[in-house]
Amino acid sequence: MITRKHPQENSLFEYLWRSVVFAAVMASVCCAQSLRQEAEHDGVLIGTAVRPSQLSETAYSSTLAREFSMVEAEDAMKWWVLRPDPATYDFRQGDEVVRFAQAHQMKIRGHCLVWGRYNPDWLTQGHYTTRHLSRLLHEHFNRVMKHYAGQVFAWDVVNEALDENGEVRDSLWYNQPGIGWSGKGTAYIEQVFRWAHKADPQALLFYNEAEGEGLNRKSDAVYAMVKDFKRRGVPIHGVGLQMHIPTLDVDIPAITASVFANIARLTALGLQVHITELDVSLPVDSRGTPRPDDLTRQADVYRGIVRACLKSPGCTAIQTWGFTDKYSWIGSHSHGTRGQALPFDRGYQPKSAYRAVWEELSAGRPAAH
Ligand code: XIL
């Protein structure tokens, strides 16, 4: 027996069915190709920070290899991992990252050679003289950069050396006791860029900074420093803009315009810009769940940053700080109050942020104004 449906019921069913088909078609149109395939057409690298301990997890490694064309060790090339004691160079974790990248035709960024933080206790509490410290650091450059020569194509030579007022930060390397240029501003930074270039003349050398992504006092100071370096022939090839975005209480068009303006002035000096540590963290409840609207706003921030990069031909890499919410530094960094900062969720499903990045990459580089 054929039961007749009420006409309205029929059209509702048809409407729902059409919506499902439409959504499926849109999903396949949107993201049939990976981020790395889309990025390749734009001449931009799409990278992410990785943890070697997770490479044995199939979902982690397959997503990584499919979506990204560049990797950076999240911690494995920092002093506290490479240098467990004064006599030892432990390259095992860094080498794992390199092997993975080579097996999947990915570029490798190195991070980082000089930073006032995350140094081993033997170094920070060793009461070294300036002379000794300078020798230790110079040797570190030679050993580490030569070990990774031909593998790491670009290094963050110096990380976060300036404060929010644009002054050189107090640090082990600058003035506590420093490597010989205490009180002389950016001279110690210049010195280590010269060492870096000698150690690996092929590597691209970057100054990497936090909270100087848009126009502000810190980014003005970075700009002044790198302009001076370029003018005097100090070997520097680029600036890394970290781009950890800790709040959605921002005017997204204004922020992205400011980031674009900063990228434009840096690249006008003949430097490359890499976005090095992009993540957009959300407030989360005690179970780690964000408010639904925030995921949409987060996608808008990702979209704006990718667009700001693509508008400058000299912006040549976009890198997220991890890719799955399963593994992100934001949780411990914020004592569990923030999270969900990355383009893939904990189950490796793409979020709206992923789609926004994909769409921007697929739209390609717009003309700069
Ligand atoms: C963070 C890592 O993600 C953590 O695993 C580690 O405990 C601390 O460092 N700016 C940087 C990165 O340049 O090296 C930092 O990475 C995040 C802030």
Side-chain angles (χ1 to χ4, degrees):
M1 194 178 81
I2 299 171
T3 49
R4 282 184 72 90
K5 282 200 186 92
H6 190 276
Q8 259 176 9
E9 203 180 313
N10 222 343
S11 63
L12 179 68
F13 175 77
E14 202 176 306
Y15 169 78
L16 287 172
W17 175 244
R18 278 175 193 271
S19 310
V20 168
V21 171
F22 178 74
V25 169
M26 283 312 286
S28 66
V29 169
C30 153
C31 303
Q33 292 196 305
S34 65
L35 298 181
R36 76 182 281 179
Q37 282 172 299
E38 296 306 321
E40 204 177 314
H41 301 141
D42 306 330
V44 71
L45 292 161
I46 181 90
T48 188
V50 297
R51 301 181 175 180
S53 51
Q54 307 314 143
L55 290 172
S56 54
E57 186 185 328
T58 311
Y60 184 94
S61 57
S62 60
T63 308
L64 176 61
R66 185 183 70 236
E67 299 289 342
F68 297 95
S69 53
M70 179 174 81
V71 288
E72 176 167 314
E74 182 169 349
D75 291 305
M77 293 188 191
K78 290 174 182 164
W79 269 79
W80 64 272
V81 179
L82 284 181
R83 306 295 302 278
D85 61 66
T88 309
Y89 286 80
D90 183 349
F91 291 114
R92 284 174 300 179
Q93 289 191 43
D95 289 355
E96 265 187 72
V97 174
V98 169
R99 270 197 301 276
F100 184 89
Q102 289 179 333
H104 298 94
Q105 293 81 46
M106 301 161 114
K107 296 272 219 173
I108 304 151
R109 284 190 102 256
H111 173 83
C112 52
L113 296 161
V114 177
W115 190 9
R117 303 178 63 201
Y118 298 101
N119 291 309
D121 289 347
W122 65 261
L123 180 66
T124 51
Q125 287 158 33
H127 303 291
Y128 291 102
T129 62
T130 287
R131 228 176 127 81
H132 196 164
L133 199 62
S134 166
R135 213 171 54 229
L136 267 174
L137 185 59
H138 195 176
E139 188 204 81
H140 186 82
F141 271 75
N142 284 328
R143 288 289 297 274
V144 176
M145 290 187 79
K146 284 185 198 304
H147 180 85
Y148 288 118
Q151 301 175 335
V152 166
F153 84 109
W155 275 102
D156 287 334
V157 179
V158 177
N159 197 31
E160 299 183 15
L162 304 182
D163 69 15
E164 59 279 17
N165 297 314
E167 304 294 332
V168 177
R169 278 183 197 280
D170 295 337
S171 78
L172 175 71
W173 309 116
Y174 174 46
N175 57 357
Q176 295 175 345
I179 58 165
W181 307 93
S182 174
K184 303 215 165 55
T186 59
Y188 90 96
I189 301 175
E190 173 176 345
Q191 172 65 83
V192 298
F193 271 86
R194 293 190 188 282
W195 285 343
H197 187 58
K198 275 242 165 63
D200 181 1
Q202 305 307 321
L204 297 178
L205 307 179
F206 277 71
Y207 176 77
N208 195 48
E209 189 55 270
E211 294 166 8
E213 290 85 6
L215 300 175
N216 58 26
R217 287 173 82 168
K218 192 190 274 189
S219 67
D220 286 350
V222 172
Y223 176 72
M225 173 177 77
V226 298
K227 188 175 179 191
D228 168 54
F229 284 1
K230 280 293 278 182
R231 189 176 55 79
R232 291 187 300 105
V234 179
I236 182 168
H237 308 100
V239 172
L241 304 178
Q242 289 190 8
M243 213 74 74
H244 295 288
I245 300 179
T247 175
L248 292 173
D249 294 334
V250 288
D251 176 347
I252 298 173
I255 293 281
T256 50
S258 182
V259 167
F260 170 67
N262 193 33
I263 294 175
R265 69 175 171 173
L266 290 166
T267 55
L269 296 173
L271 292 165
Q272 294 189 37
V273 167
H274 285 178
I275 293 183
T276 51
E277 304 184 14
L278 176 60
D279 57 20
V280 183
S281 59
L282 306 180
V284 290
D285 66 19
S286 57
R287 283 178 308 171
T289 311
R291 298 173 302 218
D293 286 358
D294 283 355
L295 289 166
T296 312
R297 237 171 116 63
Q298 175 185 55
D300 292 342
V301 176
Y302 269 95
R303 180 187 301 284
I305 298 301
V306 173
R307 191 176 292 174
C309 173
L310 294 180
K311 271 165 77 176
S312 283
C315 185
T316 49
I318 301 167
Q319 178 170 262
T320 56
W321 204 240
F323 55 98
T324 164
D325 290 334
K326 192 171 178 185
Y327 306 113
S328 161
W329 77 304
I330 293 295
S332 58
H333 182 66
S334 68
H335 306 289
T337 60
R338 309 189 68 81
Q340 305 264 350
L342 293 166
F344 289 89
D345 71 13
R346 300 175 67 85
Y348 296 93
Q349 292 307 308
K351 294 157 60 179
S352 304
Y354 174 93
R355 292 193 188 87
V357 173
W358 188 93
E359 282 166 10
E360 286 306 311
L361 292 173
S362 135
R365 288 187 182 272
H369 341 270

